[in-house]
Amino acid sequence: MKLPLYKNSSHDINDLIPTDDKNYGLLFERFFNHYYDEQKPNGSDWAIITNDSVDSKGDFLKTFKGKACGSSHDIQRYAENQYNLVESLGGLSLEFELSSHFVTGTGNAHPVENGMLWHPTLGVPYLTGSQVKGMLRTVVEQYFDGSSEDRDALLIDWFGSKLKDSKNPKSMFYSQEKQAELSSQAGRFIFFDAIPVDSVQLGVDIMTPHMGGWYAADFFQQDSPISHETLPADWHSPIPIKFLVVKKARFLVSIAPRTAGQNLSTAIQEASLQQLIETLQYALSLAGAGAKTQNGYGQMSEVKSGFIDKILEKNQELRRSQAMALMSPVQQQLTIISELLSTITSRQAVGSEKYQKMIDLIKTLSEIPSDTYKPDDKIMAQKLLALKNLESYFNLNKNQYRDKIKPHIESLLA
């Protein structure tokens, strides 16, 4: 195999993708640039530079340390689309923020020994839907407060059957009909990928294993040697190993009911989904997600006000614009007036900006020909006159109300 084109020192890794929003996932997975320039004596073209004066793996990881990973625009658009999809399916999405460092995909092969799982298009670390599902299933299996029968029934209901493998020891206790039923049973819920809602900040952590020989030795082999190198003792020196982590990030975690083929009431679905969401909150805050959770990695806390609120505001404005487009000019004016009334208080001055805007809108009603009024226009005008805060505002300036405002609205009711 020939060496890659970027093996020469003239090819700087930072120049491989000359954009502000570099795909660091692509750089990490495909552009490790610390191989020997010439072929090693053993014939390998992919030998990593290793000597006392060069830290090849550490130098490569410096490329990512402290960097903001991913395009905010692309990530937010992707997350928004997923949120809207889950909402249309009757599911729920929650936003979580890291309270500790996060790492996933450490078992993926990589020259620096510890890999990372990257989203294939966004180029950011993420959790697959199967990882989210597996994390929740493990929490239920280990911490369910109830009988084993109730726990197993809940596992089958939420996550589907585990009897797809004929070697599963539990299969022998079921009839053939029961096995056929459960072996094809899917869970009630769909688990979506947990994706960031904005750029994530990368970092580099260090682990220091002391007894690598002990873990690597296979003592089940009869001829396996036992020496001072393989015994778990305190004379071993720590071996620092650097690995890539996510230092700061917020993730969108989404779950939706799998309603197809399930004859369940909406109330039951919502109650079960809410119970699963509570389990998710518990799992992420205490157990964590991803790799190295036993060492405190991957813990997250729910964000009450953040990216989801922005989506809700955007969707609300979109629905408002669509509704306004179907209204007559008079209804559009009256709707804006009503919205202004809901945002101002009786303590505000008559000459305030919002108040003056409301007065100007009411005045424009007189410019609309009366023969263009529709029955719905009059109904909306009646509702507007019935608002108590509208009357209180007009009482602040009775002359203006009597001479200029009241005639315009009452003309709709004539």
Side-chain angles (χ1 to χ4, degrees):
M1 181 183 295
K2 295 183 179 180
L3 283 169
L5 295 176
Y6 53 85
K7 76 181 184 68
N8 296 324
S9 58
S10 60
H11 292 81
D12 188 350
I13 190 172
N14 292 311
D15 297 331
L16 291 173
I17 303 180
T19 63
D20 293 334
D21 297 322
K22 293 182 179 179
N23 189 322
Y24 282 99
L26 179 62
L27 290 178
F28 185 84
E29 290 290 334
R30 294 290 181 263
F31 292 97
F32 181 80
N33 62 340
H34 286 73
Y35 295 106
Y36 278 102
D37 290 343
E38 303 297 334
Q39 191 178 65
K40 292 287 287 182
N42 60 5
S44 172
D45 284 336
W46 300 97
I48 300 173
I49 300 174
T50 54
N51 55 60
D52 295 337
S53 61
V54 178
D55 181 10
S56 300
K57 301 173 183 179
D59 291 343
F60 176 73
L61 290 177
K62 287 180 181 179
T63 306
F64 307 87
K65 186 176 182 180
K67 297 297 179 62
C69 175
S71 166
S72 295
H73 176 266
D74 294 341
I75 293 172
Q76 291 178 3
R77 184 174 59 179
Y78 190 101
E80 181 180 348
N81 290 339
Q82 177 168 301
Y83 177 89
N84 291 331
L85 171 62
V86 172
E87 185 182 39
S88 69
L89 295 174
L92 291 175
S93 297
L94 298 179
E95 183 179 349
F96 290 88
E97 184 176 18
L98 288 177
S99 51
S100 62
H101 289 183
F102 168 80
V103 62
T104 180
T106 55
N108 294 347
H110 196 274
V112 299
E113 297 184 47
N114 292 274
M116 176 71 79
L117 180 63
W118 302 89
H119 193 278
T121 57
L122 298 176
V124 292
Y126 78 117
L127 284 171
T128 64
S130 60
Q131 287 178 293
V132 176
K133 180 179 180 180
M135 173 192 66
L136 289 171
R137 185 177 191 115
T138 300
V139 169
V140 174
E141 288 176 342
Q142 295 183 355
Y143 301 105
F144 180 79
D145 187 13
S147 65
S148 59
E149 291 78 9
D150 292 341
R151 179 199 62 197
D152 292 343
L154 184 63
L155 289 172
I156 293 174
D157 182 37
W158 283 3
F159 309 106
S161 174
K162 291 185 68 176
L163 294 178
K164 300 179 179 67
D165 185 357
S166 60
K167 297 180 180 180
N168 192 310
K170 286 188 177 182
S171 63
M172 67 179 67
F173 299 107
Y174 293 96
S175 64
Q176 292 184 353
E177 293 78 7
K178 187 66 173 179
Q179 290 184 36
E181 175 187 350
L182 296 179
S183 62
S184 60
Q185 178 174 331
R188 182 183 295 186
F189 298 102
I190 303 171
F191 299 85
F192 290 79
D193 294 344
I195 56 175
V197 299
D198 205 343
S199 299
V200 305
Q201 183 179 353
L202 301 175
V204 177
D205 281 0
I206 301 176
M207 65 174 97
T208 53
H210 289 64
M211 297 170 289
W214 165 257
Y215 295 109
D218 187 0
F219 292 105
F220 292 99
Q221 298 291 334
Q222 293 182 356
D223 57 349
S224 178
I226 299 178
S227 66
H228 71 283
E229 294 293 338
T230 57
L231 290 176
D234 57 3
W235 56 69
H236 297 290
S237 299
I239 302 176
I241 299 177
K242 299 177 181 179
F243 60 100
L244 193 65
V245 298
V246 176
K247 295 180 63 177
K248 295 181 180 180
R250 290 188 176 188
F251 290 90
L252 183 72
V253 186
S254 305
I255 302 173
R258 191 194 307 271
T259 55
Q262 296 185 0
N263 298 321
L264 297 170
S265 67
T266 303
I268 295 177
Q269 289 277 26
E270 291 179 353
S272 186
L273 178 59
Q274 186 59 43
Q275 186 180 5
L276 181 58
I277 290 297
E278 292 175 0
T279 305
L280 173 67
Q281 294 169 327
Y282 172 83
L284 290 177
S285 62
L286 297 179
K292 302 181 72 65
T293 55
Q294 294 294 328
N295 294 329
Y297 282 76
Q299 294 180 347
M300 308 182 194
S301 57
E302 185 180 358
V303 178
K304 296 298 184 180
S305 177
F307 177 73
I308 292 180
D309 288 342
K310 295 180 181 178
I311 297 179
L312 293 175
E313 292 176 3
K314 183 177 180 180
N315 291 344
Q316 183 179 2
E317 181 60 29
L318 177 62
R319 288 191 291 268
R320 175 185 177 277
S321 300
Q322 293 172 342
M324 292 282 283
L326 300 175
M327 295 180 182
S328 68
V330 173
Q331 292 175 18
Q332 292 177 358
Q333 298 288 349
L334 293 173
T335 298
I336 297 175
I337 294 171
S338 298
E339 292 174 349
L340 286 171
L341 285 169
S342 65
T343 61
I344 50 184
T345 64
S346 59
R347 293 185 179 181
Q348 288 180 312
V350 175
S352 67
E353 182 179 352
K354 289 183 178 180
Y355 184 84
Q356 189 59 46
K357 183 178 179 180
M358 181 184 67
I359 300 302
D360 293 339
L361 287 171
I362 293 177
K363 290 180 181 179
T364 59
L365 291 175
S366 62
E367 301 174 2
I368 301 176
S370 59
D371 57 355
T372 64
Y373 294 162
K374 299 180 180 180
D376 291 341
D377 298 343
K378 296 183 179 182
I379 294 175
M380 185 173 289
Q382 288 175 334
K383 292 180 179 180
L384 182 62
L385 286 174
L387 295 175
K388 294 182 179 179
N389 54 345
L390 178 64
E391 181 181 356
S392 66
Y393 268 105
F394 289 154
N395 287 337
L396 294 176
N397 196 328
K398 295 181 180 180
N399 294 333
Q400 188 180 36
Y401 172 59
R402 183 184 66 250
D403 299 334
K404 298 181 179 181
I405 300 174
K406 186 178 180 180
H408 298 325
I409 297 182
E410 289 186 339
S411 66
L412 296 175
L413 307 175

